[in-house]
Amino acid sequence: MRVVIAGAGSVGRSIARELLGHGHQVTLIDRQPAAMRIASVAEAEWLLADACEPSALAEASVDRCDVVVAATGDDKVNLVVSLLSKTEFGVPRVVARINNPKNEWMFDEAWGVDVPVSTPRIMTSLVEEAVSVGDLVRIFRFHQSGASMHELTLPASSPVVGRRVGQVTWPAETALAAIIREDRPITPSQDDTLEAGDELLIVVSADAEPELSALQELLAPAPAPTSPTE
């Protein structure tokens, strides 16, 4: 796979190293001479140019790449790179970094973005997931389908603890994708028994999202209020 990355900062270089490690071809573009740390990712092709200029993208042979990653620290630049890549060069897949969550609404197909990646949003989800046992937490949304991935760690008080997966009546358009138990991922079967501490990864369709409260109630309902003692 051939990938062009706009932005050779720490994020862009990290992505490049990962992709190169998986055998892909990578070109890094940045307009800042200080960003040309070629020795840090020596296997990549490097281009000192402004990725917002069509001529720079043409020089990087964007028209022949499989994926463009707009990974600069400027949301305006990432949007322009995404739009040019999609409309002018017909890139099949455009991934764009969102730096400011307030700009998230713009990163869609109208701007040529196939996959928006909000680092603050991901970090928030991971923090919530780390501290919230029994709370349903959205990890990310699949851009094209609108479906979303949610995580919930089963508390010992969950009514589904001790039941088999096939015995649980899951809400419509909801699928249990994986169980993580003691750092080991499990592909759930109908006969697997749910245990306290299991991390459940659940895919929910866009249409079913308004019913997330039913999923929360099924897996970890809030404790009933206790009557005041006299």
Side-chain angles (χ1 to χ4, degrees), residues 61-170:
S61 300
V62 166
D63 59 323
R64 294 191 290 106
C65 77
D66 301 290
V67 181
V68 163
V69 182
T72 78
D74 188 324
D75 284 345
K76 297 187 295 296
V77 171
N78 291 342
L79 285 171
V80 171
V81 171
S82 299
L83 185 62
L84 288 174
S85 299
K86 183 65 71 174
T87 61
E88 298 297 320
F89 295 93
V91 176
R93 195 94 170 143
V94 177
V95 179
R97 173 188 177 188
I98 305 171
N99 297 278
N100 187 340
K102 292 182 179 179
N103 298 329
E104 197 169 335
W105 63 275
M106 291 188 290
F107 284 73
D108 59 15
E109 292 179 357
W111 278 93
V113 178
D114 296 305
V115 182
V117 180
S118 173
T119 302
R121 181 78 65 189
I122 291 172
M123 291 185 70
T124 298
S125 295
L126 291 174
V127 168
E128 289 178 338
E129 184 270 333
V131 300
S132 303
V133 174
D135 289 337
L136 193 64
V137 178
R138 191 176 83 182
I139 302 299
F140 61 86
R141 183 184 297 279
F142 297 95
H143 183 65
Q144 291 184 324
S145 67
S148 54
M149 177 77 78
H150 295 257
E151 186 274 349
L152 184 141
T153 300
L154 284 177
S157 60
S158 171
V160 301
V161 167
R163 297 172 65 186
R164 294 194 301 273
V165 171
Q167 293 177 315
V168 178
T169 304
W170 301 93

Side-chain angles (χ1 to χ4, degrees), residues 199-215:
E199 291 183 57
L200 307 184
L201 297 182
I202 304 164
V203 179
V204 179
S205 75
D207 292 338
E209 283 220 354
E211 306 302 325
L212 285 176
S213 58
L215 183 60

